[in-house]
Amino acid sequence: MKFLQYIGILVLSLLIASCNSGSDVSDGSGSGSTEVSVSIGERSGGSSAELSPELFPAEIISFRFTVTGPNMDPMEQIVNVVGTDPFTVIFIVPNGYRCFSIYASDAPNGEGTVLYSGVTCQDIGGGPETVTVFMQLQLACDLYVDVETGDDDTNDGSQALPYETITKAIFEAGDRPILNASICIAAGTYYGTTGYGYGYGYAGGSPPRVVGPGNEIFPLELLSGMSLICTGADRTTVIDAYDSWSTAILSIDGPGASVEGCTVIVDEDWTGIYSDQQITIDNVLIESGGCCGFAYEGIALRSGSDGSVISNSTIRNIDSVDGDTAISVDDSNVTITDNVIEDNASGGIVVWGGTSLISGNTINNNFYFGINIDGGTSTITNNDIYDNDVGIYVDEATVTIRDSEIYCNNDADLISDSTIEVDAINNSWDHDSLTVPNGPTIDLFNNCLGGVDICKGGGGYSGNPVPLYDPFNSAVPGGCL
């Protein structure tokens, strides 16, 4: 994610030891406890034997170590590092599932600004173990959420005392209020409070509401300018609205909201992210949970979403054949770039009017179409579009297609059913002059079957123009000839 940079990676080694090393001991409970020796090693690329303050960036003045978990009082130790020798911190930790956190600050005694942070969680109480935590550059957020260590009733949403639920953080941002609030959400799965029964063994009929496995209340309604920043590495912060009979994330309050780094799970004919305002969606995975009914849409940008951007994301397995598609855009000016859109039961991207830029995406194995443009003006560049039923379908729109590879789509790579000439020069198809005499194969009579490169809809005598395709690039190597 853009806000996480592995700069000067520090290593936190948690060594479960059997003896006291002589440093201060912090005792949490008495019986059923394990001694944990905590030390800080060198940055990535260094030697574990070279433990010294010079290993740490000069701006780091102190480290705050904490241990938290169910049925225990939080434990904490502070170490100031300027001018000190290598050190070891020892905790006597009650056995159970525990989270070890470390915060590197630019002031003594754990105060000031947190520059780096890291956390690892594991069961404590077995034999000797070693655990490594990678500390990352810390983004300062207004509010923090951690489903594992947070508490909505007693905590204040700070980094040290996070909330348990995203729902609580959004409420507090509006209640305080915090304008353009940023909410950092730790790794973990954030489930809803209610469901519709299928995921819990309900069979048939009209299912009743049941108690869900978590405490989120869906949809999560973003305020204007609000940012949800999921900090779990590799999208391991999971917002799971499965079986909740609801859209997962809703942005209708005002422009400027953003969602970054999250996995979003949706089912029951609902949508992953729905917005009728300007929104930025980056590095997000949206997919069906596959538990109960079908996901309807991955992302729905309705009229009013001008300026929205969807980037660096994956939308897959949206499994309702009656839904619009993985990404649906309605009469808005949007950018869709550098995404993977695959394995969806309806289609990849559908645009109903407005102005769209669709670039750098991989769009494959969608049941009906890769891209469907129905009205407005669209520029489609540098995409890889293959193994869909139809690669690109154009219905009465102004469309320019450039520098894309469009191949191995079952019926046709491009179908134009528009009275406006589609400009599709400088693209790669299944065929070129080396594979067939006249280059890309053309169907003028609306058959649009058999993997033809370009098909003119409306029949041979409809008057609709054949798309421009010459000059064309070399055929895709290994394409479907």
Side-chain angles (χ1 to χ4, degrees):
M1 288 176 286
K2 291 181 291 187
F3 61 91
L4 291 178
Q5 304 173 28
Y6 289 91
I7 298 176
I9 295 176
L10 303 176
V11 178
L12 167 62
S13 297
L14 303 176
L15 175 63
I16 300 191
S18 60
C19 61
N20 193 310
S21 70
S23 298
D24 293 337
V25 174
S26 188
D27 195 340
S29 71
S31 62
S33 298
T34 299
E35 184 177 281
V36 180
S37 177
V38 183
S39 61
I40 297 178
E42 62 177 314
R43 290 174 286 170
S44 178
S47 167
S48 59
E50 300 172 344
L51 297 179
S52 71
E54 286 74 25
L55 295 172
F56 313 131
E59 63 269 24
I60 295 178
I61 305 301
S62 64
F63 289 90
R64 180 166 62 91
F65 296 79
T66 67
V67 185
T68 58
N71 302 314
M72 68 167 285
D73 294 329
M75 306 169 70
E76 177 180 287
Q77 290 197 51
I78 305 294
V79 177
N80 296 318
V81 299
V82 175
T84 65
D85 293 328
F87 58 87
T88 297
V89 174
I90 295 176
F91 291 96
I92 305 300
V93 180
N95 294 336
Y97 186 76
R98 306 299 178 221
C99 290
F100 297 83
S101 300
I102 190 169
Y103 305 95
S105 302
D106 64 356
N109 304 318
E111 299 176 352
T113 301
V114 174
L115 303 177
Y116 297 84
S117 66
V119 62
T120 190
C121 300
Q122 70 171 51
D123 287 316
I124 295 298
E129 302 176 37
T130 298
V131 176
T132 300
V133 173
F134 295 96
M135 299 187 68
Q136 301 170 338
L137 188 66
Q138 178 67 37
L139 175 72
C141 284
D142 295 305
L143 297 168
Y144 293 83
V145 179
D146 191 326
V147 70
E148 298 289 348
T149 66
D151 192 303
D152 286 353
D153 295 326
T154 62
N155 289 358
D156 60 7
S158 64
Q159 183 179 349
L161 297 170
Y163 293 129
E164 177 191 356
T165 67
I166 309 165
T167 302
K168 173 67 171 178
I170 292 174
F171 172 81
E172 287 293 330
D175 190 55
R176 293 185 186 186
I178 303 172
L179 298 179
N180 302 318
S182 58
I183 301 173
C184 279
I185 309 165
T189 301
Y190 296 79
Y191 292 108
T193 59
T194 58
Y196 254 71
Y198 293 119
Y200 308 98
Y202 189 86
S206 178
R209 289 273 185 179
V210 298
V211 176
N215 293 316
E216 299 294 348
I217 299 175
F218 293 110
L220 301 173
E221 297 190 29
L222 305 186
L223 304 178
S224 178
M226 176 173 285
S227 299
L228 293 188
I229 304 169
C230 294
T231 61
D234 300 322
R235 301 168 178 164
T236 52
T237 301
V238 181
I239 298 172
D240 196 335
Y242 92 113
D243 208 14
S244 292
W245 203 259
S246 174
T247 289
I249 298 173
L250 185 66
S251 175
I252 58 175
D253 180 70
S258 65
V259 181
E260 182 175 347
C262 312
T263 289
V264 178
I265 307 296
V266 66
D267 276 304
E268 287 288 15
D269 292 325
W270 290 87
T271 298
I273 300 176
Y274 178 102
S275 180
D276 62 7
Q277 304 289 325
Q278 185 274 324
I279 188 171
T280 299
I281 300 168
D282 184 67
N283 188 32
V284 168
L285 167 63
I286 301 178
E287 62 183 345
S288 168
C291 83
C292 29
F294 301 108
Y296 189 72
E297 296 167 308
I299 300 172
L301 300 181
R302 295 296 181 249
S303 181
S305 300
D306 290 345
S308 293
V309 177
I310 304 170
S311 60
N312 304 305
S313 296
T314 299
I315 302 95
R316 67 189 183 199
N317 300 323
I318 304 302
D319 51 8
S320 174
V321 296
D322 297 323
D324 277 332
T325 190
I327 299 175
S328 174
V329 179
D330 184 9
D331 196 24
S332 295
N333 304 329
V334 304
T335 298
I336 303 171
T337 183
D338 297 323
N339 303 286
V340 175
I341 302 164
E342 62 185 2
D343 300 327
N344 297 290
S346 181
I349 300 170
V350 62
V351 175
W352 308 92
T355 301
S356 60
L357 171 63
I358 302 171
S359 69
N361 304 284
T362 297
I363 305 170
N364 68 283
N365 202 35
N366 300 290
F367 187 78
Y368 288 136
F369 54 82
I371 300 174
N372 181 3
I373 307 296
D374 191 348
T377 300
S378 292
T379 301
I380 301 171
T381 64
N382 293 292
N383 297 282
D384 197 9
I385 304 170
Y386 63 94
D387 286 346
N388 308 283
D389 198 31
V390 175
I392 302 174
Y393 184 90
V394 179
D395 186 359
E396 207 56 35
T398 301
V399 175
T400 300
I401 307 169
R402 288 284 189 277
D403 300 315
S404 294
E405 294 187 347
I406 313 166
Y407 60 100
C408 290
N409 296 288
N410 295 331
D411 290 344
D413 295 327
L414 169 62
I415 298 177
S416 175
D417 197 7
S418 176
T419 61
I420 304 169
E421 186 177 59
V422 174
D423 183 351
I425 66 173
N426 297 326
N427 296 290
S428 295
W429 313 88
D430 288 309
H431 305 89
D432 60 13
S433 298
L434 296 178
T435 56
V436 296
N438 298 318
T441 55
I442 310 297
D443 183 344
L444 301 179
F445 293 93
N446 199 32
N447 293 316
C448 302
L449 297 172
V452 67
D453 291 326
I454 298 170
C455 180
K456 186 185 92 165
Y461 304 102
S462 68
N464 290 348
V466 177
L468 293 174
Y469 64 91
D470 194 359
F472 46 86
N473 299 332
S474 298
V476 177
C480 300
L481 302 179

